[in-house]
């Protein structure tokens, strides 16, 4: 039996149960709203019974101007996110805006933290590598609040997004490893809910299949250093040790190198190749010398700012799904092809 997805409770339903008008429901949830204590109590009881959550989107737009752009990131442990935030802050500062940063842990529902942001009457929302529920996206759209997903996308065409070409990046890494003579390949995934990880894996696997290779071994590093290290140990303890590992981001690739070089004493780029994705600054450190796919951060931020400002000028402008090309940078962590130029 398929479970039905419950639609959000409306203020009309709360008003009907409480025996009041919809405007009374709105005033009851508005600080300083003119409503009697008895009516406010009836509304709150009805809302609690129905599981109603007031629209902070609409409330935030009562006062239009704040000169603040809300930015949500999944923590700042990954230097890639920190770099994106720096670039966003600089770009918006040049335009007279300030970035209000919110960090969320885990990969759960973003709606509660988004409500916190909207209490500050932000003029736009940028979600870096985080998801947005369809309900919240629709609510933002109905109230004219520009929203953009950066380094993430969803299936809805109503929300703008900016990503690098993750499919092409995965395919290019497959070509590179095959050209280097690798025979037993592995992929280390991030989060299954992450569109970036899924696309990088699809591009990698599809290209390997097209070249007659078996599906790569698969482990999951969850975009976490310690988890990636344990996943690498599992790979290298197996009966068929891979000779090439593609990790869905650089943090996991650095974790893999810690095991490959630091624990097992193998020579990266000779005994086994490790490739990442993002091009965070520490990947270029001589200790790691990580081969990786470069995400075009400056171009991604420029596109994000352009899309947001276009929405400021024209609230009815259509959503944009921007995909930008990156490039592979080859360093010592991976074996270089002897004949094929990459």
């Amino acid at each position: 039996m398929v479970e039905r997805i419950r639609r959000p409770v409306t203020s009309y339903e709360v008003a009907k149960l409480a025996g009041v008008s919809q405007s009374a429901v709105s005033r009851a949830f508005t600080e300083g709203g003119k409503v009697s204590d008895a009516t406010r109590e009836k509304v709150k009881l009805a809302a609690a019974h129905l599981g109603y959550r007031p629209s902070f989107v609409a409330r935030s737009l009562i006062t239009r101007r704040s000169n603040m752009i809300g930015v949500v990131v999944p923590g700042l442990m990954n230097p890639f996110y920190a770099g994106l935030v720096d670039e966003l802050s600089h770009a918006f500062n040049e335009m007279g805006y300030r970035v209000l940063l919110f960090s969320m842990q885990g990969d759960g529902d973003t709606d509660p933290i988004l409500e916190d942001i909207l209490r500050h009457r932000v003029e736009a929302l940028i979600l870096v590598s985080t998801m947005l529920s369809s309900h919240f996206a629709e609510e933002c759209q109905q109230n004219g609040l520009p929203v953009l997903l950066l380094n993430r996308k969803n299936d809805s065409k109503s929300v703008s997004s900016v990503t690098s070409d993750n499919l092409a990046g995965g395919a290019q890494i497959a070509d590179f490893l095959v050209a280097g003579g690798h025979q037993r390949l592995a992929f280390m995934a991030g989060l299954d809910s992450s569109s970036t990880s899924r696309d990088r894996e699809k591009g990698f696997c599809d290209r390997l299949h097209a070249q007659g290779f078996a599906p790569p071994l698969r482990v999951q590093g969850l975009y976490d250093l310690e988890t990636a290290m344990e996943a690498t140990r599992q790979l290298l303890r197996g009966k068929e040790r891979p000779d090439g590992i593609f990790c869905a981001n650089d943090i996991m690739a650095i974790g893999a190198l810690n095991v490959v070089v630091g624990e097992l004493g193998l020579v990266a780029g000779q005994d086994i190749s490790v490739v990442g994705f993002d091009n965070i600054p520490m990947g270029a450190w001589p200790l790691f010398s990580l081969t990786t796919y470069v995400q075009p951060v400056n171009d991604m931020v420029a596109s994000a700012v352009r899309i947001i400002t276009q929405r400021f000028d024209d609230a009815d402008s259509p959503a944009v799904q921007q995909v930008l090309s990156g490039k592979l940078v080859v360093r010592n962590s991976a074996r270089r092809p002897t004949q094929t130029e990459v």
Side-chain angles (χ1 to χ4, degrees):
M1 181 177 179
V2 178
E3 183 179 355
R4 289 185 177 180
I5 299 174
R6 186 184 177 191
R7 63 174 178 79
V9 178
T10 66
S11 61
Y12 172 80
E13 292 169 299
V14 175
K16 185 177 180 180
L17 181 61
V20 300
S21 66
Q22 277 185 274
S23 61
V25 173
S26 177
R27 293 195 300 273
F29 283 101
T30 301
E31 187 174 349
K34 293 183 179 180
V35 64
S36 69
D37 290 341
T39 298
R40 189 186 304 276
E41 184 63 21
K42 285 196 297 183
V43 169
K44 293 292 180 71
L45 287 173
H49 177 75
L50 294 172
Y52 171 74
R53 187 176 62 209
S55 171
F56 288 102
V57 175
R59 189 182 306 171
S60 73
L61 295 171
I62 294 173
T63 303
R64 291 279 178 173
R65 299 295 297 177
S66 66
N67 288 333
M68 289 193 294
I69 308 296
V71 176
V72 184
V73 294
L76 291 173
M77 293 299 290
N78 186 341
F80 179 73
Y81 301 143
L84 273 180
V85 170
D86 279 347
E87 291 294 329
L88 283 169
S89 297
H90 177 73
F92 280 115
N93 284 347
E94 291 288 310
M95 301 169 58
Y97 291 90
R98 294 292 180 266
V99 164
L100 180 63
L101 181 64
F102 280 74
S103 175
M104 64 171 290
Q105 301 299 324
D107 194 55
D109 182 15
T110 60
D111 284 11
I113 196 170
L114 292 178
E115 289 184 352
D116 287 341
I117 293 175
L118 294 175
R119 295 176 196 272
H120 296 270
R121 303 191 311 275
V122 297
E123 296 189 37
L125 278 176
I126 297 178
L127 281 69
V128 178
S129 298
T130 53
M131 292 306 296
L132 183 71
S133 74
S134 58
H135 161 58
F136 206 96
E138 182 180 349
E139 193 175 357
C140 290
Q141 185 178 24
Q142 289 175 351
N143 288 279
L145 182 68
V147 178
L148 181 136
L149 302 177
L150 184 57
N151 196 44
R152 188 67 64 91
K153 65 180 183 181
N154 63 14
D155 294 331
S156 172
K157 297 301 182 183
S158 65
V159 180
S160 292
S161 63
V162 177
T163 66
S164 64
D165 196 336
N166 295 294
L167 285 167
Q172 189 173 352
I173 289 168
D175 288 340
F176 169 77
L177 291 171
V178 169
H182 298 81
Q183 298 295 321
R184 300 176 304 282
L185 295 170
F187 177 76
M188 186 180 295
L191 296 163
D192 288 337
S193 60
S194 165
S195 64
T196 53
S197 180
R198 295 196 305 269
D199 284 351
R200 291 166 194 176
E201 181 174 12
K202 177 173 173 55
F204 186 63
C205 293
D206 286 355
R207 184 58 60 87
L208 290 178
H209 177 74
Q211 299 199 45
F213 278 70
L217 299 172
R218 188 184 194 273
V219 291
Q220 197 160 16
L222 303 178
Y223 293 140
D224 176 73
L225 183 74
E226 294 295 333
T227 307
M229 291 177 65
E230 180 55 35
T232 305
R233 294 184 190 107
Q234 293 176 18
L235 278 175
L236 299 184
R237 283 197 298 259
K239 293 182 178 179
E240 293 190 9
R241 174 183 288 184
D243 57 4
I245 306 174
F246 168 33
C247 302
N249 80 349
D250 284 352
I251 288 295
M252 294 191 297
I254 288 172
L257 286 173
N258 283 343
V259 173
V260 167
V261 179
E263 295 183 8
L264 300 180
L266 301 175
V267 178
Q270 296 182 26
D271 300 320
I272 186 171
S273 291
V274 176
V275 180
F277 205 109
D278 283 342
N279 195 39
I280 61 175
M282 70 176 64
W285 294 357
L287 184 64
F288 301 120
S289 191
L290 178 64
T291 293
T292 186
Y293 190 82
V294 181
Q295 294 216 67
V297 171
N298 292 340
D299 292 342
M300 291 168 70
V301 168
S303 291
V305 172
R306 183 169 58 252
I307 292 168
I308 290 293
T309 53
Q310 183 178 2
R311 285 296 307 277
F312 287 160
D313 295 335
D314 179 8
D316 295 324
S317 61
V320 177
Q321 284 75 47
Q322 184 83 54
V323 179
L324 301 171
S325 298
K327 63 179 182 180
L328 185 68
V329 57
V330 180
R331 302 191 183 105
N332 294 334
S333 72
R335 184 190 313 153
R336 299 169 184 265
T338 55
Q339 296 180 344
T340 303
E341 183 178 349
V342 178

